[in-house]
Amino acid sequence: MSESQVWDDVDDYFTTLLSPSDDTLVAALRDSDAAGLPPINVAPNQGKLLQLLAQIQGARRILEIGTLGGYSTIWLGRALPADGRLITFEYDATHAEVARGNLARAGLDKIAEVRVGPALESLPKLADENPEPFDLVFIDADKVNNPHYVEWAIKLTRPGSLIIVDNVVRGGAVTDAGSTDPSVRGTRAALELIAAHPKLSGTAVQTVGTKGYDGFALARVLP
């Protein structure tokens, strides 16, 4: 049995036992696929992890950078109380419409708002609204801008908030200090920012599974 098959089998076992899907989540993936969205959503057990982290945080306000079809947004939105709020940024208008449909089906359209456009244009506009601090920020968009997203996350959170950055391993290339790949360089810059910033305490974890070899970074905002 190949190594990747073992990873898949273990993920299937964990997902079936601990993160079972439902009609809403299945439909979100189905509609995303039918609309031609790339199959780069988080795995179900990773979605459940996001939900648990939000619940552990007692999150009432969540910011997501990178919506895609709203699959991770559903997991996060389900962690919020009835009066909670989730704002998610999506660059592609077609992706955003798919996500809005998926969120409406999940009964989260009153809680979750999808904003369309480049996140680095949307984030200053959000800051101008002087919103209440976000309790959790999930960053899963273009990797070249990861350090900018982390900087904005710090500005829009409070002490005790949690920042999650997805896809930080880059197939192992994250260790290559001489890489010319913009995604690797952006990821390294974000990790170095987390390591050096006086208001952040963080770590990063490697993962394997149905999404292959990857990982994520976690950072807590300090006083």
PDB file of all heavy atoms in Angstrom, residues 58-86:
ATOM      1  N   GLY A  58     -14.423  30.620  21.969  1.00  0.00           N
ATOM      2  CA  GLY A  58     -15.661  31.305  22.305  1.00  0.00           C
ATOM      3  C   GLY A  58     -15.923  32.416  21.311  1.00  0.00           C
ATOM      4  O   GLY A  58     -16.459  33.483  21.651  1.00  0.00           O
ATOM      5  N   ALA A  59     -15.553  32.178  20.052  1.00  0.00           N
ATOM      6  CA  ALA A  59     -15.600  33.227  19.030  1.00  0.00           C
ATOM      7  C   ALA A  59     -17.024  33.717  18.785  1.00  0.00           C
ATOM      8  O   ALA A  59     -17.961  32.930  18.677  1.00  0.00           O
ATOM      9  CB  ALA A  59     -14.992  32.710  17.727  1.00  0.00           C
ATOM     10  N   ARG A  60     -17.135  35.025  18.681  1.00  0.00           N
ATOM     11  CA  ARG A  60     -18.392  35.659  18.280  1.00  0.00           C
ATOM     12  C   ARG A  60     -18.231  36.381  16.945  1.00  0.00           C
ATOM     13  O   ARG A  60     -19.205  36.664  16.279  1.00  0.00           O
ATOM     14  CB  ARG A  60     -18.849  36.650  19.354  1.00  0.00           C
ATOM     15  CG  ARG A  60     -19.068  36.027  20.725  1.00  0.00           C
ATOM     16  CD  ARG A  60     -19.559  37.066  21.724  1.00  0.00           C
ATOM     17  NE  ARG A  60     -20.875  37.562  21.355  1.00  0.00           N
ATOM     18  CZ  ARG A  60     -22.025  36.958  21.678  1.00  0.00           C
ATOM     19  NH1 ARG A  60     -22.003  35.820  22.359  1.00  0.00           N
ATOM     20  NH2 ARG A  60     -23.186  37.477  21.317  1.00  0.00           N
ATOM     21  N   ARG A  61     -16.990  36.681  16.594  1.00  0.00           N
ATOM     22  CA  ARG A  61     -16.691  37.376  15.345  1.00  0.00           C
ATOM     23  C   ARG A  61     -15.513  36.694  14.664  1.00  0.00           C
ATOM     24  O   ARG A  61     -14.453  36.530  15.278  1.00  0.00           O
ATOM     25  CB  ARG A  61     -16.387  38.854  15.600  1.00  0.00           C
ATOM     26  CG  ARG A  61     -17.575  39.629  16.153  1.00  0.00           C
ATOM     27  CD  ARG A  61     -17.199  41.072  16.471  1.00  0.00           C
ATOM     28  NE  ARG A  61     -16.617  41.739  15.306  1.00  0.00           N
ATOM     29  CZ  ARG A  61     -17.322  42.279  14.314  1.00  0.00           C
ATOM     30  NH1 ARG A  61     -18.659  42.229  14.341  1.00  0.00           N
ATOM     31  NH2 ARG A  61     -16.733  42.873  13.300  1.00  0.00           N
ATOM     32  N   ILE A  62     -15.710  36.296  13.425  1.00  0.00           N
ATOM     33  CA  ILE A  62     -14.678  35.580  12.673  1.00  0.00           C
ATOM     34  C   ILE A  62     -14.434  36.305  11.351  1.00  0.00           C
ATOM     35  O   ILE A  62     -15.374  36.749  10.690  1.00  0.00           O
ATOM     36  CB  ILE A  62     -15.109  34.125  12.398  1.00  0.00           C
ATOM     37  CG1 ILE A  62     -15.206  33.336  13.716  1.00  0.00           C
ATOM     38  CG2 ILE A  62     -14.137  33.437  11.440  1.00  0.00           C
ATOM     39  CD1 ILE A  62     -15.747  31.927  13.540  1.00  0.00           C
ATOM     40  N   LEU A  63     -13.173  36.401  10.973  1.00  0.00           N
ATOM     41  CA  LEU A  63     -12.773  36.944   9.682  1.00  0.00           C
ATOM     42  C   LEU A  63     -12.066  35.846   8.897  1.00  0.00           C
ATOM     43  O   LEU A  63     -11.155  35.192   9.420  1.00  0.00           O
ATOM     44  CB  LEU A  63     -11.829  38.138   9.869  1.00  0.00           C
ATOM     45  CG  LEU A  63     -11.227  38.753   8.603  1.00  0.00           C
ATOM     46  CD1 LEU A  63     -12.313  39.339   7.707  1.00  0.00           C
ATOM     47  CD2 LEU A  63     -10.199  39.825   8.971  1.00  0.00           C
ATOM     48  N   GLU A  64     -12.510  35.650   7.656  1.00  0.00           N
ATOM     49  CA  GLU A  64     -11.889  34.655   6.786  1.00  0.00           C
ATOM     50  C   GLU A  64     -11.373  35.359   5.537  1.00  0.00           C
ATOM     51  O   GLU A  64     -12.100  36.129   4.905  1.00  0.00           O
ATOM     52  CB  GLU A  64     -12.906  33.581   6.396  1.00  0.00           C
ATOM     53  CG  GLU A  64     -12.335  32.498   5.480  1.00  0.00           C
ATOM     54  CD  GLU A  64     -13.387  31.468   5.087  1.00  0.00           C
ATOM     55  OE1 GLU A  64     -14.485  31.878   4.639  1.00  0.00           O
ATOM     56  OE2 GLU A  64     -13.111  30.271   5.227  1.00  0.00           O
ATOM     57  N   ILE A  65     -10.138  35.094   5.175  1.00  0.00           N
ATOM     58  CA  ILE A  65      -9.548  35.662   3.966  1.00  0.00           C
ATOM     59  C   ILE A  65      -9.337  34.514   2.989  1.00  0.00           C
ATOM     60  O   ILE A  65      -8.424  33.704   3.146  1.00  0.00           O
ATOM     61  CB  ILE A  65      -8.222  36.387   4.285  1.00  0.00           C
ATOM     62  CG1 ILE A  65      -8.458  37.486   5.329  1.00  0.00           C
ATOM     63  CG2 ILE A  65      -7.619  36.980   3.011  1.00  0.00           C
ATOM     64  CD1 ILE A  65      -7.193  38.164   5.811  1.00  0.00           C
ATOM     65  N   GLY A  66     -10.208  34.435   1.982  1.00  0.00           N
ATOM     66  CA  GLY A  66     -10.198  33.336   1.022  1.00  0.00           C
ATOM     67  C   GLY A  66     -11.396  32.425   1.234  1.00  0.00           C
ATOM     68  O   GLY A  66     -11.357  31.508   2.045  1.00  0.00           O
ATOM     69  N   THR A  67     -12.475  32.677   0.498  1.00  0.00           N
ATOM     70  CA  THR A  67     -13.741  31.975   0.710  1.00  0.00           C
ATOM     71  C   THR A  67     -13.860  30.712  -0.120  1.00  0.00           C
ATOM     72  O   THR A  67     -14.366  29.688   0.357  1.00  0.00           O
ATOM     73  CB  THR A  67     -14.928  32.897   0.347  1.00  0.00           C
ATOM     74  OG1 THR A  67     -14.714  34.198   0.872  1.00  0.00           O
ATOM     75  CG2 THR A  67     -16.236  32.319   0.846  1.00  0.00           C
ATOM     76  N   LEU A  68     -13.443  30.795  -1.393  1.00  0.00           N
ATOM     77  CA  LEU A  68     -13.668  29.751  -2.387  1.00  0.00           C
ATOM     78  C   LEU A  68     -15.177  29.488  -2.455  1.00  0.00           C
ATOM     79  O   LEU A  68     -15.953  30.405  -2.647  1.00  0.00           O
ATOM     80  CB  LEU A  68     -12.860  28.495  -2.072  1.00  0.00           C
ATOM     81  CG  LEU A  68     -12.705  27.475  -3.222  1.00  0.00           C
ATOM     82  CD1 LEU A  68     -11.983  28.102  -4.406  1.00  0.00           C
ATOM     83  CD2 LEU A  68     -11.983  26.231  -2.765  1.00  0.00           C
ATOM     84  N   GLY A  69     -15.622  28.246  -2.236  1.00  0.00           N
ATOM     85  CA  GLY A  69     -17.046  27.944  -2.306  1.00  0.00           C
ATOM     86  C   GLY A  69     -17.761  27.983  -0.968  1.00  0.00           C
ATOM     87  O   GLY A  69     -18.937  27.606  -0.874  1.00  0.00           O
ATOM     88  N   GLY A  70     -17.068  28.437   0.066  1.00  0.00           N
ATOM     89  CA  GLY A  70     -17.714  28.583   1.366  1.00  0.00           C
ATOM     90  C   GLY A  70     -17.710  27.335   2.230  1.00  0.00           C
ATOM     91  O   GLY A  70     -18.384  27.314   3.272  1.00  0.00           O
ATOM     92  N   TYR A  71     -16.964  26.309   1.840  1.00  0.00           N
ATOM     93  CA  TYR A  71     -16.963  25.069   2.630  1.00  0.00           C
ATOM     94  C   TYR A  71     -16.372  25.308   4.025  1.00  0.00           C
ATOM     95  O   TYR A  71     -17.003  24.966   5.036  1.00  0.00           O
ATOM     96  CB  TYR A  71     -16.178  23.988   1.886  1.00  0.00           C
ATOM     97  CG  TYR A  71     -16.165  22.633   2.559  1.00  0.00           C
ATOM     98  CD1 TYR A  71     -17.286  21.808   2.516  1.00  0.00           C
ATOM     99  CD2 TYR A  71     -15.036  22.178   3.217  1.00  0.00           C
ATOM    100  CE1 TYR A  71     -17.272  20.558   3.121  1.00  0.00           C
ATOM    101  CE2 TYR A  71     -15.015  20.936   3.821  1.00  0.00           C
ATOM    102  CZ  TYR A  71     -16.136  20.122   3.772  1.00  0.00           C
ATOM    103  OH  TYR A  71     -16.114  18.881   4.384  1.00  0.00           O
ATOM    104  N   SER A  72     -15.194  25.906   4.086  1.00  0.00           N
ATOM    105  CA  SER A  72     -14.607  26.201   5.395  1.00  0.00           C
ATOM    106  C   SER A  72     -15.449  27.230   6.130  1.00  0.00           C
ATOM    107  O   SER A  72     -15.535  27.208   7.367  1.00  0.00           O
ATOM    108  CB  SER A  72     -13.171  26.700   5.233  1.00  0.00           C
ATOM    109  OG  SER A  72     -13.110  27.841   4.389  1.00  0.00           O
ATOM    110  N   THR A  73     -16.091  28.124   5.381  1.00  0.00           N
ATOM    111  CA  THR A  73     -16.935  29.151   5.989  1.00  0.00           C
ATOM    112  C   THR A  73     -18.102  28.517   6.737  1.00  0.00           C
ATOM    113  O   THR A  73     -18.495  28.996   7.814  1.00  0.00           O
ATOM    114  CB  THR A  73     -17.471  30.102   4.908  1.00  0.00           C
ATOM    115  OG1 THR A  73     -16.467  30.371   3.937  1.00  0.00           O
ATOM    116  CG2 THR A  73     -17.935  31.408   5.520  1.00  0.00           C
ATOM    117  N   ILE A  74     -18.661  27.454   6.183  1.00  0.00           N
ATOM    118  CA  ILE A  74     -19.761  26.755   6.855  1.00  0.00           C
ATOM    119  C   ILE A  74     -19.279  26.161   8.177  1.00  0.00           C
ATOM    120  O   ILE A  74     -19.937  26.299   9.216  1.00  0.00           O
ATOM    121  CB  ILE A  74     -20.346  25.661   5.945  1.00  0.00           C
ATOM    122  CG1 ILE A  74     -21.047  26.296   4.741  1.00  0.00           C
ATOM    123  CG2 ILE A  74     -21.330  24.774   6.725  1.00  0.00           C
ATOM    124  CD1 ILE A  74     -21.494  25.297   3.684  1.00  0.00           C
ATOM    125  N   TRP A  75     -18.127  25.498   8.149  1.00  0.00           N
ATOM    126  CA  TRP A  75     -17.595  24.923   9.389  1.00  0.00           C
ATOM    127  C   TRP A  75     -17.391  26.011  10.443  1.00  0.00           C
ATOM    128  O   TRP A  75     -17.755  25.837  11.613  1.00  0.00           O
ATOM    129  CB  TRP A  75     -16.280  24.207   9.112  1.00  0.00           C
ATOM    130  CG  TRP A  75     -16.393  22.851   8.499  1.00  0.00           C
ATOM    131  CD1 TRP A  75     -16.144  22.509   7.193  1.00  0.00           C
ATOM    132  CD2 TRP A  75     -16.772  21.626   9.155  1.00  0.00           C
ATOM    133  NE1 TRP A  75     -16.338  21.166   7.007  1.00  0.00           N
ATOM    134  CE2 TRP A  75     -16.727  20.594   8.183  1.00  0.00           C
ATOM    135  CE3 TRP A  75     -17.144  21.313  10.459  1.00  0.00           C
ATOM    136  CZ2 TRP A  75     -17.036  19.274   8.482  1.00  0.00           C
ATOM    137  CZ3 TRP A  75     -17.447  19.996  10.766  1.00  0.00           C
ATOM    138  CH2 TRP A  75     -17.396  18.991   9.786  1.00  0.00           C
ATOM    139  N   LEU A  76     -16.800  27.129  10.039  1.00  0.00           N
ATOM    140  CA  LEU A  76     -16.558  28.219  10.980  1.00  0.00           C
ATOM    141  C   LEU A  76     -17.865  28.862  11.435  1.00  0.00           C
ATOM    142  O   LEU A  76     -18.052  29.148  12.624  1.00  0.00           O
ATOM    143  CB  LEU A  76     -15.662  29.275  10.330  1.00  0.00           C
ATOM    144  CG  LEU A  76     -14.196  28.892  10.144  1.00  0.00           C
ATOM    145  CD1 LEU A  76     -13.501  29.864   9.193  1.00  0.00           C
ATOM    146  CD2 LEU A  76     -13.472  28.855  11.484  1.00  0.00           C
ATOM    147  N   GLY A  77     -18.774  29.090  10.498  1.00  0.00           N
ATOM    148  CA  GLY A  77     -20.041  29.727  10.839  1.00  0.00           C
ATOM    149  C   GLY A  77     -20.862  28.935  11.828  1.00  0.00           C
ATOM    150  O   GLY A  77     -21.567  29.506  12.662  1.00  0.00           O
ATOM    151  N   ARG A  78     -20.764  27.616  11.737  1.00  0.00           N
ATOM    152  CA  ARG A  78     -21.512  26.766  12.660  1.00  0.00           C
ATOM    153  C   ARG A  78     -20.991  26.847  14.092  1.00  0.00           C
ATOM    154  O   ARG A  78     -21.672  26.400  15.023  1.00  0.00           O
ATOM    155  CB  ARG A  78     -21.469  25.314  12.179  1.00  0.00           C
ATOM    156  CG  ARG A  78     -22.352  25.054  10.963  1.00  0.00           C
ATOM    157  CD  ARG A  78     -22.200  23.635  10.462  1.00  0.00           C
ATOM    158  NE  ARG A  78     -23.228  23.308   9.473  1.00  0.00           N
ATOM    159  CZ  ARG A  78     -23.321  22.134   8.862  1.00  0.00           C
ATOM    160  NH1 ARG A  78     -22.432  21.177   9.119  1.00  0.00           N
ATOM    161  NH2 ARG A  78     -24.287  21.905   7.985  1.00  0.00           N
ATOM    162  N   ALA A  79     -19.822  27.426  14.273  1.00  0.00           N
ATOM    163  CA  ALA A  79     -19.277  27.598  15.620  1.00  0.00           C
ATOM    164  C   ALA A  79     -19.787  28.858  16.298  1.00  0.00           C
ATOM    165  O   ALA A  79     -19.613  29.024  17.507  1.00  0.00           O
ATOM    166  CB  ALA A  79     -17.747  27.633  15.564  1.00  0.00           C
ATOM    167  N   LEU A  80     -20.419  29.732  15.532  1.00  0.00           N
ATOM    168  CA  LEU A  80     -20.830  31.022  16.067  1.00  0.00           C
ATOM    169  C   LEU A  80     -22.200  30.954  16.743  1.00  0.00           C
ATOM    170  O   LEU A  80     -23.059  30.157  16.349  1.00  0.00           O
ATOM    171  CB  LEU A  80     -20.895  32.052  14.939  1.00  0.00           C
ATOM    172  CG  LEU A  80     -19.559  32.517  14.372  1.00  0.00           C
ATOM    173  CD1 LEU A  80     -19.783  33.360  13.130  1.00  0.00           C
ATOM    174  CD2 LEU A  80     -18.771  33.303  15.417  1.00  0.00           C
ATOM    175  N   PRO A  81     -22.419  31.809  17.728  1.00  0.00           N
ATOM    176  CA  PRO A  81     -23.766  31.917  18.314  1.00  0.00           C
ATOM    177  C   PRO A  81     -24.708  32.598  17.325  1.00  0.00           C
ATOM    178  O   PRO A  81     -24.284  33.133  16.295  1.00  0.00           O
ATOM    179  CB  PRO A  81     -23.532  32.786  19.555  1.00  0.00           C
ATOM    180  CG  PRO A  81     -22.337  33.620  19.213  1.00  0.00           C
ATOM    181  CD  PRO A  81     -21.460  32.730  18.372  1.00  0.00           C
ATOM    182  N   ALA A  82     -25.981  32.621  17.653  1.00  0.00           N
ATOM    183  CA  ALA A  82     -26.993  33.173  16.742  1.00  0.00           C
ATOM    184  C   ALA A  82     -26.744  34.640  16.420  1.00  0.00           C
ATOM    185  O   ALA A  82     -27.107  35.112  15.343  1.00  0.00           O
ATOM    186  CB  ALA A  82     -28.382  32.999  17.350  1.00  0.00           C
ATOM    187  N   ASP A  83     -26.117  35.369  17.340  1.00  0.00           N
ATOM    188  CA  ASP A  83     -25.843  36.785  17.101  1.00  0.00           C
ATOM    189  C   ASP A  83     -24.395  37.015  16.692  1.00  0.00           C
ATOM    190  O   ASP A  83     -23.904  38.148  16.717  1.00  0.00           O
ATOM    191  CB  ASP A  83     -26.178  37.620  18.337  1.00  0.00           C
ATOM    192  CG  ASP A  83     -25.344  37.227  19.562  1.00  0.00           C
ATOM    193  OD1 ASP A  83     -24.694  36.152  19.527  1.00  0.00           O
ATOM    194  OD2 ASP A  83     -25.335  37.986  20.545  1.00  0.00           O
ATOM    195  N   GLY A  84     -23.699  35.952  16.294  1.00  0.00           N
ATOM    196  CA  GLY A  84     -22.326  36.097  15.848  1.00  0.00           C
ATOM    197  C   GLY A  84     -22.249  36.667  14.445  1.00  0.00           C
ATOM    198  O   GLY A  84     -23.262  36.859  13.759  1.00  0.00           O
ATOM    199  N   ARG A  85     -21.026  36.942  14.015  1.00  0.00           N
ATOM    200  CA  ARG A  85     -20.825  37.493  12.666  1.00  0.00           C
ATOM    201  C   ARG A  85     -19.551  36.941  12.062  1.00  0.00           C
ATOM    202  O   ARG A  85     -18.526  36.820  12.749  1.00  0.00           O
ATOM    203  CB  ARG A  85     -20.761  39.021  12.709  1.00  0.00           C
ATOM    204  CG  ARG A  85     -20.788  39.625  11.296  1.00  0.00           C
ATOM    205  CD  ARG A  85     -20.731  41.133  11.321  1.00  0.00           C
ATOM    206  NE  ARG A  85     -20.902  41.679   9.972  1.00  0.00           N
ATOM    207  CZ  ARG A  85     -20.499  42.881   9.593  1.00  0.00           C
ATOM    208  NH1 ARG A  85     -19.896  43.670  10.447  1.00  0.00           N
ATOM    209  NH2 ARG A  85     -20.684  43.304   8.354  1.00  0.00           N
ATOM    210  N   LEU A  86     -19.634  36.626  10.784  1.00  0.00           N
ATOM    211  CA  LEU A  86     -18.485  36.154  10.026  1.00  0.00           C
ATOM    212  C   LEU A  86     -18.393  36.963   8.740  1.00  0.00           C
ATOM    213  O   LEU A  86     -19.374  37.060   8.004  1.00  0.00           O
ATOM    214  CB  LEU A  86     -18.612  34.659   9.710  1.00  0.00           C
ATOM    215  CG  LEU A  86     -17.399  33.941   9.119  1.00  0.00           C
ATOM    216  CD1 LEU A  86     -17.499  32.434   9.379  1.00  0.00           C
ATOM    217  CD2 LEU A  86     -17.235  34.174   7.620  1.00  0.00           C
TER     218      LEU A  86
END
